[in-house]
Amino acid sequence: MEQTMPSWLKKRAFLSPNRIAVKTTNEEITFKELFIKAEEIGKKLGALGIEKGSHVGILAHNSLDFVIFLHALLGIGAKVVFLNTKLTEKELSFQLENSKVSILITDDKLFKTSITGIQKASFSEVKKLEKSNLSFQEEVSLSDVATIMYTSGTTGNPKGVVQTYGNHWWSATGSSLNLGLHDNDRWLLAVPLFHISGFSILMRSVIYGMTVILHEKFEAERVQHAIFHEGVTIISCVTAMLQKMLEHLHEPYPDTFRCLLLGGGPAPLPILEKCKEANIPVYQTYGMTETSSQIVTLSPEDALTKLGSAGKVLFPAQLKIKSENHHEAGEIVVKGPNVTKGYLYNEEATNKAIIDGWLHTGDMGYVDEDGYLYVLDRRSDLIISGGENVYPAEIESVLLSHPAVKEAGVTGQDDERWGKVPAAFLVMAHSIEESELRSFCQKRLASFKIPANFYFVDELTRNASNKLVRRKLFSLLEDQRNED
């Protein structure tokens, strides 16, 4: 039997109309006002031919308008395809074509610089349109697709992760059952709304009736001001952001602040110790686009005793390790109502990843005797750079398309600011300037994917099948340091 619920924003506007929904630096809006504005924009989007079930791309920086347009699209039943503002035109083109987007909506800043050859409209243009007869849905089905977010695979092109209303509902529920829900909660959103880490906060806001403090981008000093002076109780961030926050901290956090949800890999012990001294409760977490945000979380009281752990799997999800020996490390597999039902128009990838309802994450880890998960390697070769997922195969493919590059291998290199950055090892057909390679990459890759360093070597380590052995690139890094 199909499970339905009243339209989330409409229901929230009815339950707590005068509560602040979103607060930015210069403005704030109640849930009732947010619903009225979103409903108006929804009618104007209808004038563009958008209707229930339409695939609509959205490319924007964090703003109140972005929030309103997202609620408008969801309200009229469109399927929102999120696009990363850091992607190149080539990367955007693939995702728009692959997702069969009928129209691209952008903020005013990105309208001129975004892709051509597709119907598109800016926020300002939509606001000028006449209203259509399109109205907000009265109900949503938990099985209906709400959003699509692209995630890179270790090989091949990015895949569109299908996220249903049920996925978002249960993600928000699992989070609240773990972190609790307080009347005075204010969640600071300083990560991109087009990431699951950002959008999930927006969904929690409308489900919980919780105020979101929205920042256009992460700035450590602004974050600290919001925590000390604007009643922020929770923030989501990655280690690189936390390091910056600690650099701009001059006194312990107020007792009103109750949770720093930390993703992007385990935090180093020195950082956790500084946080303890500064009265910052850190909840380390593990999750992905396919799980609609966090699915495993470590509580602050366990942060130092279970150093390096991502924590325990949240209710009502399940987790197990797929290994030959129960006590050995293996692939992390998860199951739950917050887990995606598959990849958009990609039955092969879906059937490979989801078996008997269990999502095979491709990440390696183990669970200790107390039930705590330790993630050993995220998708084996994955580089997490400032919270962004960077896949070596994608960078290698671009490098190998340059006529001067004979062989290419990419791995992660430690970086004080970003945690890890990609480093490229190249066997050249003929020598060229590094600046030419960097310029070549800038036209084809998002900035966070461009190698921080290029190392020119005589050969790359390969196995008997002639496949690149990326783990051996680390030894090449050591060799390069010794030569330097």
Short mmCIF file of all heavy atoms in Angstrom, two decimals, residues 16-68:
data_model
loop_
_atom_site.label_atom_id
_atom_site.label_comp_id
_atom_site.label_asym_id
_atom_site.label_seq_id
_atom_site.Cartn_x
_atom_site.Cartn_y
_atom_site.Cartn_z
N SER A 16 3.27 25.60 12.32
CA SER A 16 4.04 26.66 12.99
C SER A 16 4.28 27.83 12.03
O SER A 16 5.39 28.07 11.59
CB SER A 16 5.37 26.12 13.52
OG SER A 16 5.84 25.03 12.78
N PRO A 17 3.21 28.54 11.68
CA PRO A 17 3.28 29.59 10.65
C PRO A 17 4.23 30.73 10.98
O PRO A 17 4.87 31.29 10.08
CB PRO A 17 1.83 30.09 10.55
CG PRO A 17 1.21 29.73 11.86
CD PRO A 17 1.86 28.45 12.26
N ASN A 18 4.34 31.10 12.26
CA ASN A 18 5.12 32.29 12.62
C ASN A 18 6.55 31.98 13.07
O ASN A 18 7.30 32.88 13.41
CB ASN A 18 4.39 33.05 13.73
CG ASN A 18 3.01 33.50 13.28
OD1 ASN A 18 2.84 33.95 12.15
ND2 ASN A 18 2.02 33.36 14.16
N ARG A 19 6.90 30.70 13.03
CA ARG A 19 8.26 30.33 13.40
C ARG A 19 9.21 30.66 12.25
O ARG A 19 8.86 30.50 11.08
CB ARG A 19 8.31 28.83 13.72
CG ARG A 19 9.59 28.37 14.43
CD ARG A 19 9.51 26.90 14.77
NE ARG A 19 8.43 26.61 15.73
CZ ARG A 19 8.06 25.38 16.05
NH1 ARG A 19 8.64 24.33 15.49
NH2 ARG A 19 7.09 25.20 16.93
N ILE A 20 10.42 31.13 12.59
CA ILE A 20 11.39 31.47 11.54
C ILE A 20 11.88 30.20 10.85
O ILE A 20 12.36 29.27 11.50
CB ILE A 20 12.59 32.25 12.11
CG1 ILE A 20 12.13 33.55 12.77
CG2 ILE A 20 13.62 32.54 11.01
CD1 ILE A 20 11.43 34.51 11.81
N ALA A 21 11.74 30.16 9.53
CA ALA A 21 12.19 28.99 8.75
C ALA A 21 13.65 29.15 8.35
O ALA A 21 14.46 28.23 8.54
CB ALA A 21 11.32 28.84 7.51
N VAL A 22 13.97 30.30 7.78
CA VAL A 22 15.33 30.55 7.28
C VAL A 22 15.76 31.95 7.65
O VAL A 22 14.99 32.91 7.49
CB VAL A 22 15.41 30.38 5.74
CG1 VAL A 22 16.85 30.57 5.25
CG2 VAL A 22 14.91 29.00 5.31
N LYS A 23 16.98 32.07 8.12
CA LYS A 23 17.55 33.38 8.44
C LYS A 23 18.89 33.51 7.73
O LYS A 23 19.76 32.65 7.84
CB LYS A 23 17.75 33.51 9.96
CG LYS A 23 18.28 34.87 10.41
CD LYS A 23 18.43 34.92 11.93
CE LYS A 23 18.85 36.30 12.42
NZ LYS A 23 20.14 36.76 11.86
N THR A 24 19.05 34.56 6.96
CA THR A 24 20.32 34.86 6.31
C THR A 24 20.93 36.09 6.97
O THR A 24 20.39 36.61 7.95
CB THR A 24 20.13 35.11 4.81
OG1 THR A 24 19.40 36.35 4.63
CG2 THR A 24 19.37 33.98 4.14
N THR A 25 22.01 36.59 6.42
CA THR A 25 22.67 37.77 7.01
C THR A 25 21.74 38.97 7.02
O THR A 25 21.71 39.74 7.99
CB THR A 25 23.94 38.12 6.21
OG1 THR A 25 24.78 36.97 6.18
CG2 THR A 25 24.69 39.26 6.87
N ASN A 26 20.94 39.12 5.95
CA ASN A 26 20.14 40.34 5.80
C ASN A 26 18.63 40.15 5.92
O ASN A 26 17.89 41.14 5.96
CB ASN A 26 20.44 40.98 4.43
CG ASN A 26 21.91 41.29 4.25
OD1 ASN A 26 22.52 41.84 5.15
ND2 ASN A 26 22.46 40.92 3.11
N GLU A 27 18.16 38.92 5.96
CA GLU A 27 16.71 38.72 5.96
C GLU A 27 16.34 37.43 6.67
O GLU A 27 17.17 36.55 6.88
CB GLU A 27 16.17 38.71 4.51
CG GLU A 27 16.92 37.76 3.60
CD GLU A 27 16.60 37.97 2.14
OE1 GLU A 27 15.54 38.51 1.80
OE2 GLU A 27 17.43 37.56 1.31
N GLU A 28 15.06 37.34 7.02
CA GLU A 28 14.54 36.11 7.60
C GLU A 28 13.11 35.92 7.13
O GLU A 28 12.43 36.88 6.73
CB GLU A 28 14.62 36.14 9.13
CG GLU A 28 13.83 37.24 9.80
CD GLU A 28 14.01 37.23 11.32
OE1 GLU A 28 15.11 36.89 11.78
OE2 GLU A 28 13.04 37.57 12.02
N ILE A 29 12.67 34.66 7.17
CA ILE A 29 11.36 34.36 6.62
C ILE A 29 10.70 33.28 7.48
O ILE A 29 11.36 32.33 7.92
CB ILE A 29 11.50 33.89 5.14
CG1 ILE A 29 10.15 33.73 4.46
CG2 ILE A 29 12.31 32.61 5.04
CD1 ILE A 29 10.27 33.48 2.96
N THR A 30 9.42 33.43 7.76
CA THR A 30 8.69 32.44 8.55
C THR A 30 8.26 31.29 7.64
O THR A 30 8.30 31.40 6.41
CB THR A 30 7.44 33.04 9.20
OG1 THR A 30 6.52 33.43 8.15
CG2 THR A 30 7.78 34.24 10.06
N PHE A 31 7.80 30.21 8.24
CA PHE A 31 7.33 29.08 7.43
C PHE A 31 6.10 29.45 6.61
O PHE A 31 5.95 29.00 5.48
CB PHE A 31 7.04 27.87 8.33
CG PHE A 31 8.27 27.12 8.76
CD1 PHE A 31 8.72 27.21 10.07
CD2 PHE A 31 8.98 26.35 7.85
CE1 PHE A 31 9.87 26.52 10.48
CE2 PHE A 31 10.13 25.67 8.24
CZ PHE A 31 10.58 25.74 9.55
N LYS A 32 5.23 30.30 7.17
CA LYS A 32 4.06 30.72 6.41
C LYS A 32 4.48 31.56 5.21
O LYS A 32 3.99 31.36 4.09
CB LYS A 32 3.11 31.53 7.31
CG LYS A 32 1.85 31.99 6.60
CD LYS A 32 0.93 32.78 7.54
CE LYS A 32 -0.33 33.23 6.81
NZ LYS A 32 -1.23 34.00 7.71
N GLU A 33 5.40 32.50 5.44
CA GLU A 33 5.89 33.34 4.34
C GLU A 33 6.63 32.50 3.29
O GLU A 33 6.50 32.75 2.08
CB GLU A 33 6.82 34.42 4.89
CG GLU A 33 6.11 35.47 5.73
CD GLU A 33 7.07 36.35 6.52
OE1 GLU A 33 8.22 35.91 6.78
OE2 GLU A 33 6.67 37.47 6.89
N LEU A 34 7.39 31.52 3.76
CA LEU A 34 8.11 30.64 2.84
C LEU A 34 7.15 29.87 1.96
O LEU A 34 7.34 29.75 0.75
CB LEU A 34 9.00 29.68 3.64
CG LEU A 34 9.82 28.66 2.84
CD1 LEU A 34 10.75 29.35 1.85
CD2 LEU A 34 10.63 27.76 3.78
N PHE A 35 6.07 29.37 2.56
CA PHE A 35 5.07 28.64 1.78
C PHE A 35 4.41 29.54 0.75
O PHE A 35 4.24 29.16 -0.42
CB PHE A 35 4.01 28.04 2.70
CG PHE A 35 2.83 27.47 1.96
CD1 PHE A 35 2.96 26.34 1.18
CD2 PHE A 35 1.59 28.10 2.02
CE1 PHE A 35 1.87 25.83 0.47
CE2 PHE A 35 0.50 27.61 1.33
CZ PHE A 35 0.65 26.47 0.56
N ILE A 36 4.03 30.75 1.15
CA ILE A 36 3.37 31.69 0.23
C ILE A 36 4.29 32.01 -0.96
O ILE A 36 3.85 32.00 -2.12
CB ILE A 36 2.97 32.98 0.97
CG1 ILE A 36 1.84 32.68 1.97
CG2 ILE A 36 2.54 34.07 -0.01
CD1 ILE A 36 1.53 33.83 2.92
N LYS A 37 5.55 32.28 -0.67
CA LYS A 37 6.50 32.62 -1.75
C LYS A 37 6.77 31.41 -2.64
O LYS A 37 6.85 31.52 -3.87
CB LYS A 37 7.81 33.13 -1.15
CG LYS A 37 7.72 34.55 -0.58
CD LYS A 37 9.05 35.01 -0.02
CE LYS A 37 8.96 36.44 0.53
NZ LYS A 37 8.75 37.43 -0.54
N ALA A 38 6.92 30.22 -2.02
CA ALA A 38 7.19 29.02 -2.80
C ALA A 38 6.00 28.66 -3.69
O ALA A 38 6.17 28.25 -4.84
CB ALA A 38 7.52 27.86 -1.87
N GLU A 39 4.80 28.84 -3.16
CA GLU A 39 3.59 28.56 -3.94
C GLU A 39 3.49 29.50 -5.14
O GLU A 39 3.14 29.09 -6.25
CB GLU A 39 2.35 28.69 -3.06
CG GLU A 39 1.07 28.24 -3.76
CD GLU A 39 -0.13 28.31 -2.84
OE1 GLU A 39 -0.25 29.30 -2.08
OE2 GLU A 39 -0.95 27.37 -2.88
N GLU A 40 3.84 30.77 -4.92
CA GLU A 40 3.81 31.75 -6.02
C GLU A 40 4.83 31.39 -7.10
O GLU A 40 4.52 31.43 -8.30
CB GLU A 40 4.11 33.14 -5.46
CG GLU A 40 4.08 34.23 -6.52
CD GLU A 40 4.41 35.61 -5.96
OE1 GLU A 40 4.89 35.69 -4.81
OE2 GLU A 40 4.19 36.60 -6.68
N ILE A 41 6.05 31.04 -6.68
CA ILE A 41 7.09 30.66 -7.64
C ILE A 41 6.69 29.38 -8.36
O ILE A 41 6.92 29.23 -9.57
CB ILE A 41 8.46 30.48 -6.94
CG1 ILE A 41 8.98 31.82 -6.43
CG2 ILE A 41 9.48 29.84 -7.89
CD1 ILE A 41 9.26 32.85 -7.51
N GLY A 42 6.04 28.46 -7.65
CA GLY A 42 5.58 27.22 -8.28
C GLY A 42 4.63 27.48 -9.42
O GLY A 42 4.71 26.86 -10.48
N LYS A 43 3.71 28.43 -9.22
CA LYS A 43 2.76 28.78 -10.28
C LYS A 43 3.47 29.41 -11.48
O LYS A 43 3.10 29.18 -12.63
CB LYS A 43 1.70 29.74 -9.73
CG LYS A 43 0.71 29.09 -8.75
CD LYS A 43 -0.32 30.07 -8.26
CE LYS A 43 -1.33 29.42 -7.32
NZ LYS A 43 -2.14 28.38 -7.98
N LYS A 44 4.52 30.20 -11.19
CA LYS A 44 5.27 30.83 -12.28
C LYS A 44 6.14 29.82 -13.02
O LYS A 44 6.33 29.93 -14.23
CB LYS A 44 6.11 31.98 -11.72
CG LYS A 44 5.25 33.13 -11.20
CD LYS A 44 6.06 34.33 -10.76
CE LYS A 44 5.11 35.48 -10.37
NZ LYS A 44 5.84 36.72 -10.07
N LEU A 45 6.65 28.82 -12.30
CA LEU A 45 7.41 27.75 -12.96
C LEU A 45 6.50 26.97 -13.89
O LEU A 45 6.94 26.48 -14.94
CB LEU A 45 8.02 26.82 -11.91
CG LEU A 45 9.19 27.39 -11.10
CD1 LEU A 45 9.50 26.49 -9.90
CD2 LEU A 45 10.43 27.55 -11.97
N GLY A 46 5.24 26.87 -13.53
CA GLY A 46 4.27 26.20 -14.39
C GLY A 46 4.14 26.88 -15.74
O GLY A 46 3.84 26.23 -16.75
N ALA A 47 4.37 28.19 -15.78
CA ALA A 47 4.30 28.94 -17.04
C ALA A 47 5.41 28.54 -18.00
O ALA A 47 5.35 28.82 -19.20
CB ALA A 47 4.36 30.44 -16.75
N LEU A 48 6.46 27.90 -17.48
CA LEU A 48 7.57 27.43 -18.32
C LEU A 48 7.32 26.01 -18.84
O LEU A 48 8.18 25.44 -19.51
CB LEU A 48 8.88 27.46 -17.52
CG LEU A 48 9.41 28.83 -17.10
CD1 LEU A 48 10.56 28.68 -16.13
CD2 LEU A 48 9.84 29.61 -18.33
N GLY A 49 6.18 25.45 -18.49
CA GLY A 49 5.87 24.09 -18.92
C GLY A 49 6.27 23.03 -17.91
O GLY A 49 6.12 21.83 -18.16
N ILE A 50 6.77 23.46 -16.76
CA ILE A 50 7.14 22.51 -15.72
C ILE A 50 5.87 21.99 -15.05
O ILE A 50 4.95 22.75 -14.77
CB ILE A 50 8.06 23.17 -14.67
CG1 ILE A 50 9.36 23.62 -15.33
CG2 ILE A 50 8.35 22.23 -13.51
CD1 ILE A 50 10.24 24.48 -14.44
N GLU A 51 5.82 20.69 -14.81
CA GLU A 51 4.66 20.08 -14.17
C GLU A 51 5.11 18.92 -13.28
O GLU A 51 6.32 18.65 -13.18
CB GLU A 51 3.68 19.57 -15.24
CG GLU A 51 4.31 18.58 -16.20
CD GLU A 51 3.39 18.21 -17.35
OE1 GLU A 51 2.32 18.84 -17.49
OE2 GLU A 51 3.74 17.29 -18.10
N LYS A 52 4.17 18.26 -12.66
CA LYS A 52 4.49 17.12 -11.80
C LYS A 52 5.25 16.07 -12.61
O LYS A 52 4.83 15.71 -13.70
CB LYS A 52 3.21 16.51 -11.22
CG LYS A 52 3.46 15.31 -10.30
CD LYS A 52 2.16 14.79 -9.72
CE LYS A 52 2.35 13.47 -8.96
NZ LYS A 52 3.24 13.61 -7.80
N GLY A 53 6.39 15.63 -12.09
CA GLY A 53 7.20 14.62 -12.77
C GLY A 53 8.29 15.18 -13.67
O GLY A 53 9.16 14.42 -14.12
N SER A 54 8.26 16.50 -13.95
CA SER A 54 9.30 17.09 -14.80
C SER A 54 10.66 16.99 -14.12
O SER A 54 10.79 17.18 -12.91
CB SER A 54 8.99 18.57 -15.06
OG SER A 54 7.83 18.73 -15.81
N HIS A 55 11.69 16.70 -14.93
CA HIS A 55 13.07 16.72 -14.42
C HIS A 55 13.61 18.13 -14.63
O HIS A 55 13.78 18.59 -15.76
CB HIS A 55 13.93 15.72 -15.18
CG HIS A 55 13.70 14.30 -14.77
ND1 HIS A 55 14.65 13.32 -14.87
CD2 HIS A 55 12.60 13.69 -14.22
CE1 HIS A 55 14.17 12.17 -14.42
NE2 HIS A 55 12.92 12.38 -14.03
N VAL A 56 13.87 18.82 -13.53
CA VAL A 56 14.31 20.21 -13.59
C VAL A 56 15.68 20.35 -12.95
O VAL A 56 15.86 20.00 -11.78
CB VAL A 56 13.31 21.16 -12.88
CG1 VAL A 56 13.78 22.60 -12.97
CG2 VAL A 56 11.91 21.00 -13.49
N GLY A 57 16.65 20.84 -13.72
CA GLY A 57 17.99 21.06 -13.18
C GLY A 57 18.03 22.38 -12.43
O GLY A 57 17.35 23.35 -12.82
N ILE A 58 18.82 22.44 -11.37
CA ILE A 58 18.98 23.70 -10.65
C ILE A 58 20.45 23.91 -10.33
O ILE A 58 21.13 23.00 -9.83
CB ILE A 58 18.08 23.77 -9.39
CG1 ILE A 58 18.05 25.19 -8.83
CG2 ILE A 58 18.48 22.75 -8.35
CD1 ILE A 58 16.85 25.50 -7.95
N LEU A 59 20.95 25.10 -10.68
CA LEU A 59 22.35 25.44 -10.52
C LEU A 59 22.42 26.79 -9.81
O LEU A 59 22.08 27.82 -10.37
CB LEU A 59 23.02 25.54 -11.90
CG LEU A 59 24.51 25.89 -11.95
CD1 LEU A 59 25.35 24.73 -11.40
CD2 LEU A 59 24.93 26.21 -13.38
N ALA A 60 22.83 26.77 -8.55
CA ALA A 60 22.78 28.01 -7.77
C ALA A 60 23.70 27.93 -6.55
O ALA A 60 24.04 26.85 -6.07
CB ALA A 60 21.35 28.28 -7.30
N HIS A 61 24.08 29.11 -6.08
CA HIS A 61 24.80 29.23 -4.83
C HIS A 61 23.78 29.34 -3.69
O HIS A 61 22.62 29.69 -3.92
CB HIS A 61 25.70 30.49 -4.84
CG HIS A 61 26.75 30.47 -5.89
ND1 HIS A 61 27.83 29.62 -5.85
CD2 HIS A 61 26.90 31.21 -7.02
CE1 HIS A 61 28.61 29.84 -6.90
NE2 HIS A 61 28.06 30.79 -7.63
N ASN A 62 24.21 29.07 -2.48
CA ASN A 62 23.32 29.19 -1.32
C ASN A 62 22.70 30.58 -1.24
O ASN A 62 23.42 31.58 -1.31
CB ASN A 62 24.08 28.92 -0.03
CG ASN A 62 24.40 27.45 0.18
OD1 ASN A 62 24.19 26.63 -0.72
ND2 ASN A 62 24.91 27.11 1.34
N SER A 63 21.39 30.62 -1.11
CA SER A 63 20.68 31.89 -0.94
C SER A 63 19.25 31.58 -0.52
O SER A 63 18.78 30.44 -0.66
CB SER A 63 20.65 32.69 -2.26
OG SER A 63 19.84 32.03 -3.22
N LEU A 64 18.55 32.60 -0.05
CA LEU A 64 17.14 32.42 0.29
C LEU A 64 16.33 32.08 -0.95
O LEU A 64 15.40 31.25 -0.89
CB LEU A 64 16.59 33.68 0.97
CG LEU A 64 15.13 33.62 1.43
CD1 LEU A 64 14.88 32.42 2.36
CD2 LEU A 64 14.74 34.92 2.13
N ASP A 65 16.66 32.70 -2.07
CA ASP A 65 15.97 32.38 -3.32
C ASP A 65 16.12 30.90 -3.68
O ASP A 65 15.16 30.27 -4.15
CB ASP A 65 16.50 33.24 -4.47
CG ASP A 65 15.76 34.56 -4.60
OD1 ASP A 65 14.68 34.69 -4.01
OD2 ASP A 65 16.27 35.46 -5.29
N PHE A 66 17.32 30.36 -3.51
CA PHE A 66 17.56 28.94 -3.79
C PHE A 66 16.62 28.08 -2.94
O PHE A 66 15.99 27.14 -3.43
CB PHE A 66 19.03 28.61 -3.49
CG PHE A 66 19.52 27.28 -4.04
CD1 PHE A 66 20.84 26.90 -3.85
CD2 PHE A 66 18.69 26.42 -4.74
CE1 PHE A 66 21.33 25.69 -4.34
CE2 PHE A 66 19.15 25.21 -5.24
CZ PHE A 66 20.48 24.84 -5.03
N VAL A 67 16.49 28.42 -1.67
CA VAL A 67 15.60 27.69 -0.77
C VAL A 67 14.15 27.76 -1.27
O VAL A 67 13.44 26.75 -1.34
CB VAL A 67 15.69 28.25 0.67
CG1 VAL A 67 14.61 27.62 1.57
CG2 VAL A 67 17.08 27.99 1.25
N ILE A 68 13.71 28.96 -1.63
CA ILE A 68 12.33 29.16 -2.10
C ILE A 68 12.07 28.35 -3.37
O ILE A 68 11.05 27.68 -3.50
CB ILE A 68 12.05 30.66 -2.34
CG1 ILE A 68 12.05 31.41 -1.00
CG2 ILE A 68 10.71 30.86 -3.07
CD1 ILE A 68 12.07 32.93 -1.14
#
